[in-house]
Amino acid sequence: MSTTGASADPLAALGSLPGVADSVESVRKAVDRVYGHRIMRRRSNEITSEAALRGARGSAALSGADWALEEVRRRTDFSGDDESRVVGASLRLAAEAGQLLSIWRQSPLRVLARLHLVAAADNGDTVGRPRRHGEPVDEPLVELPLPDATEVAGRLEGLSQLIIAGGSAPALVTAAVVHGELLALRPFGAHNGLVARAAERIVLVGSGLDPKSVCPAEVGHAELGRAAYAAALEGYASGTPEGMAAWIAHCGRAVELGARESTAVCEALQRGAA
């Protein structure tokens, strides 16, 4: 992660990049529209459950398993092939993320380890810990240069300290940095994209921006498409102010699209069509 200059609160410094304040405000308005919907006052649990399902589908699509929503809803066995396992991992992470909110601010590295363990769903000796020197990474959809294990350890520790310290950065900025840093580092042998997007969701919910988890950014990331996602991530990895701002704006647009998705679900419930 790079910032535009020395700062006691580098995440907050990113909030001053050109266009970022506009993205933050646009996201806030989109989230407020969902929370202001009359259906949210009576059936918010249903909206939360549906958002989790749709978010899991979107995250899996970005990791190469682009299934129709109804197929994800219908299926009960996710062990058959690689795509099935990706969808299953994404669903497990969606269910697990809400259980880790209280731990995140005290021990983000512990949460990341748990997310990887849940995604991998096995007890191999590479599961639930950052990769070591010489260990391979299976993340074909991210083509950025792969940092070595020493850099990964140092940057993870730095990210952890920023989260624990807190600060005045908007939730969108923190969520985008957590997401981008994990994808750029790919600290685990596999499932890094799924883990990064689950961590983004934890930040958005735990920050209070989306406390009921009804604005699934994963839906928006999938809707914007894998090519746009990869291009925005390259901007983040460049560390330039323009690249960082573009990545934050991309993440902001994804949250807005997730909010729009849940607004549509609210309206369908209101019409009695869902």
Side-chain angles (χ1 to χ4, degrees), residues 30-31 34 214-216 254-264:
V31 173
V34 180
V214 297
C215 302
V255 177
E256 291 179 53
L257 291 171
R260 187 182 69 178
E261 183 91 353
S262 286
T263 299

Side-chain angles (χ1 to χ4, degrees), residues 10-23:
L11 293 179
L14 295 175
S16 66
L17 292 174
V20 170
D22 290 340
S23 294

Side-chain angles (χ1 to χ4, degrees), residues 62 217-229 249-255 257:
L62 287 167
E218 305 94 327
V219 168
H221 287 303
E223 186 172 335
L224 291 167
R226 286 160 63 183
Y229 187 68
H250 183 87
C251 291
R253 182 59 181 150
V255 177
L257 291 171

